[in-house]
Each structure stands twice: as structure tokens, then as C-alpha cells.
């Protein structure tokens, strides 16, 4: 196996030629821009088309919107990241009478049963939105682990309207991805769905059954 690998790498190196890789022509992407309000509308249309739900909130009022949604839905609890700024703002709006607020702060092995069978919804922040295709850009990390948005049946995502980019290309430029690889990024446009079995569309098989975006209009 090692000899085969070395042989393949040797052929690749020999075939490279040493020429400089041409830069991509991104002029067409640079021209795809919209006004901030239109970005918000485009993102919403694109995501609602694939069953994403939206809640609107004014700056500073979004924790109350999340709390009201959880109450209306009858959720027993909500999982969140207590070390991020949004998580702390959420906890400040909660009272002992509200649905239980569960902090995601321990290794997954210590509360696996609760995570997979006892959590009603998970709350995360979205790093950005993509207006062109309608989607959220998330970068899970220690403060908001990937399982926080993947395992609970309902994913509630906080998105600032000012963070909506025209295109994925502009989002990558804004965040300097050309200078280094993002640690763990993902794009999501709607709840998890699959049609693997008999081409019957089913939601929530490999991830959340519902995606609810709390859109904060801070334009």
C-alpha cells in the first residue's frame, strides 16, 4: 500500500509542471449585489421555499422572541451555549418559570441520553446569511458545538440582518477564507430532509425536523 501511495504521489509531482495556478475570474460574482433590505428578502424567500420558518425581532428584543416561541410551542427545554454572548443574553431573559434552559457545557459523553432523547430544541447563532441562494453560514466550535444544531429536533438560529452577504463568495471574502481555511463551516438552508427511501421526501431523518430563524432587523 505504501509503495502504491508513493508511486501515485510521484506521478502527481512529475505531472505538475511547476506552472503557477491561474487566479479564478470572479468578476461575475462581484457584480451580484443587492441593497441590504433586498438581501434580507431574498434570503427569506429562498429559505422559506425549503420549509424554513422565520421569526422577526428588533435588536435587543430577540431573547423575548425566542422565549415566546418556546412557550407557544410547549417546549420543555432549550439547549444553548452558555459561553457565547448570545447564549448569555438568552439566559438573562429566562426565569425559573420558563422552559428549562440547558447549558451545553459538558462533554457529550456525560449527557448523551439527554441530548438525544430529552432536548426539545437547540439554539445557536449564525455567522452570516447568504442572500443569493438563501442559507445560513455556521461555524460550530467549543462555544456552540456542532451537535447543538444537529441533534435536537428543532434548531433555532439567530441571524442579524447586517450579517447577510450577497453571495457565498462575498461571505468568504469578508471572512478572509482565502488566507486560511475556516475551522469548521457549514451552510444550511432548511430542515434536514432526505428522499433516499423510495423517493419519499421525509424531514428530520438525519438532523433537525424544523429550522427556525430569528431574524434581527438591525439595518
Amino acid at each position: 500500500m505504501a509503495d502504491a501511495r508513493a508511486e501515485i504521489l510521484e506521478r502527481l509531482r512529475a505531472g505538475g509542471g511547476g506552472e503557477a495556478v491561474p487566479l479564478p475570474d470572479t468578476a461575475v460574482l462581484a457584480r451580484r449585489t443587492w441593497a441590504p433590505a433586498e438581501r434580507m428578502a431574498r434570503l427569506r424567500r429562498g429559505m422559506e421555499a425549503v420549509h424554513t420558518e422565520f421569526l422577526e425581532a428588533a435588536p435587543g428584543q430577540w431573547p423575548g422572541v425566542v422565549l415566546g416561541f418556546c412557550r407557544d410551542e410547549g417546549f420543555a427545554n432549550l439547549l444553548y451555549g452558555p459561553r457565547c454572548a448570545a447564549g448569555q443574553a438568552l439566559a438573562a431573559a429566562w426565569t425559573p418559570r420558563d422552559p428549562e434552559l440547558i447549558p451545553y457545557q459538558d462533554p457529550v459523553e456525560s449527557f448523551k441520553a439527554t441530548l438525544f432523547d430529552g432536548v426539545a430544541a437547540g439554539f445557536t447563532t449564525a455567522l452570516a446569511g447568504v442572500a443569493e441562494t438563501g442559507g445560513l453560514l455556521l461555524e460550530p466550535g467549543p462555544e456552540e458545538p456542532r451537535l447543538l444544531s444537529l441533534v435536537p429536533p428543532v434548531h433555532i438560529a439567530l441571524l442579524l440582518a447586517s450579517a447577510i452577504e450577497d453571495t457565498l463568495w462575498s461571505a468568504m471574502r469578508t471572512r478572509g477564507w482565502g488566507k486560511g481555511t475556516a475551522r469548521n463551516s457549514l451552510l444550511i438552508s432548511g430542515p434536514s430532509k432526505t428522499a433516499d427511501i423510495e423517493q419519499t421526501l421525509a424531514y428530520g431523518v438525519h438532523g433537525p425536523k424544523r429550522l427556525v430563524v430569528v431574524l434581527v432587523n438591525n439595518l
Side-chain angles (χ1 to χ4, degrees), residues 66-82:
V66 175
L67 176 57
F69 175 74
C70 291
R71 286 174 176 164
D72 293 344
E73 294 292 326
F75 290 162
N77 52 45
L78 176 67
L79 187 67
Y80 79 111

Side-chain angles (χ1 to χ4, degrees), residues 16-161:
E19 299 88 355
V21 177
L23 294 174
D25 182 1
T26 57
V28 65
L29 295 172
R31 291 194 295 269
R32 296 190 67 77
T33 61
W34 296 275
E38 177 58 20
R39 280 187 219 137
M40 189 164 55
R42 289 183 67 93
L43 174 134
R44 185 164 180 164
R45 284 197 300 271
M47 296 186 70
E48 285 179 336
V50 290
H51 291 203
T52 295
E53 304 164 55
F54 278 82
L55 300 173
E56 297 181 355
Q61 296 181 347
W62 66 262
V65 172
V66 175
L67 176 57
F69 175 74
C70 291
R71 286 174 176 164
D72 293 344
E73 294 292 326
F75 290 162
N77 52 45
L78 176 67
L79 187 67
Y80 79 111
R83 289 185 291 171
C84 67
Q88 292 165 8
L90 194 67
W94 237 251
T95 73
R97 300 187 303 275
D98 297 321
E100 182 185 7
L101 203 53
I102 302 176
Y104 192 143
Q105 57 188 0
D106 299 318
V108 62
E109 291 78 9
S110 66
F111 74 118
K112 191 182 296 183
T114 299
L115 175 62
F116 282 88
D117 295 320
V119 171
F123 171 84
T124 74
T125 53
L127 181 67
V130 178
E132 182 183 34
T133 52
L136 303 180
L137 178 60
L138 270 61
E139 279 196 358
E143 293 184 346
E144 291 183 334
R146 176 68 179 107
L147 293 180
L148 185 54
S149 60
L150 181 65
V151 176
V154 180
H155 176 200
I156 303 173
L158 179 69
L159 174 66
L160 299 179

Side-chain angles (χ1 to χ4, degrees), residues 151-213:
V151 176
V154 180
H155 176 200
I156 303 173
L158 179 69
L159 174 66
L160 299 179
S162 61
I164 301 175
E165 300 277 353
D166 294 307
T167 62
L168 178 59
W169 174 77
S170 61
M172 294 169 64
R173 279 176 57 91
T174 300
R175 283 151 189 80
W177 284 9
K179 300 175 183 176
T181 304
R183 57 185 181 183
N184 179 18
S185 300
L186 63 145
L187 280 168
I188 55 175
S189 57
S192 170
K193 58 182 179 296
T194 180
D196 288 349
I197 301 175
E198 296 183 348
Q199 296 186 339
T200 300
L201 186 61
Y203 287 86
V205 177
H206 303 303
K209 195 170 186 176
R210 296 174 65 186
L211 171 61
V212 180
V213 177

